Amino acid sequence: MLHRARPRFVSGAELRAHTAASEQQIASELKDLQRVGFEIETHPHLGHRLVETPDRLMADDLMARRHGTVIGSRILVFHRTASTNDVVARQGAGGGAEGLAVFAESQTAGRGRQGRKWESPAGKGLWFSVLLRPSFGVDGAGRITVAASVAVAQVLRRVGGVDARIKWPNDVTVRGRKLAGILTEWHQGNGTHPYAVLGIGVDVNCRPSDWPESLAGVTTSLLIETGREHDRPSLAAMLLDELDGLWRETGSSFDRIIARWADLNTTLGRQLRLRVGSRVIEGFAQALDGDGALLARRDNGQVERVLSGDVVVEK
Ligand code: BTN
């Protein structure tokens, strides 16, 4: 409630009415919040107001900030874990409900596509995964990545004012450098209840010294692009809300998402060299189909439908 009222004061009576808690319980809650880093100003007549929030991810705080209906309906935050995708996969296998979002301040075995390592420096980015229970089959798995990349690019454009673009299949880039990555993993479950784990990594407040040298010039962050630090909890809540809206559209009006993707992407209309497993396909990136697969036209006119791969060269 203090979040939503910001920067207004909220009177003790309002807080009591909203939370159904006693004056004493509220006083102790406020103390707890101050102990974990929230700066709360108390005025004898006006009540309380939130002045500053800590740059730490906390499940209750994120729950209070989000507005969506499905994504983030349950939130867990780990100080450190191997990979948030693994945590969510376990929850999925155990029958967990769609929408669970798991964040970690750092990952010891964060991974990207094709088994690549994903650098996840502590407290510098948003490393999180969401449990999805799609109404479509594995053929539509690409839709998840497409919708998520649109959500991430839109939020980064809005918050950071950066020219975030999407490089097929899963990169969000600025000035050709990677700012965020998406890893969608499909699990067949017991056959009748497949689920998907949507993993997202956003380099928010990372500095070049947070990455190995091999990533110099390849990766960027919101801090590097805008010259200022960004509030990760607020960005996290915005991402959950944007994903919530787009996930609903993924089931009902995916065409609209493809249209937005097309506006933001840097891949279509180019001659590409794609690495798909051990194969290399050269062709013109023509369109994205209704399942999020890339349609690449070869020189001989044959159109290849590529579900996932690496763009080696974009001409
Ligand atoms: C890529 O660009 O190849 C995808 C990167 C995905 C990284 C995120 S961080 C949260 C989640 N947990 C992981 O281990 N990976 C994803």
Side-chain angles (χ1 to χ4, degrees), residues 102-119:
V102 174
F103 290 78
E105 287 289 13
S106 76
Q107 299 182 112
T108 52
R111 61 175 178 274
R113 279 182 50 247
Q114 323 261 11
R116 290 186 199 112
K117 182 171 187 232
W118 179 263
E119 297 294 333

Side-chain angles (χ1 to χ4, degrees), residues 96 102 104 113 126 135 156 192 200 208 228 241 259:
V102 174
R113 279 182 50 247
L126 290 174
S135 53
L156 294 176
T192 48
I200 299 182
R228 65 186 168 92
D241 286 352

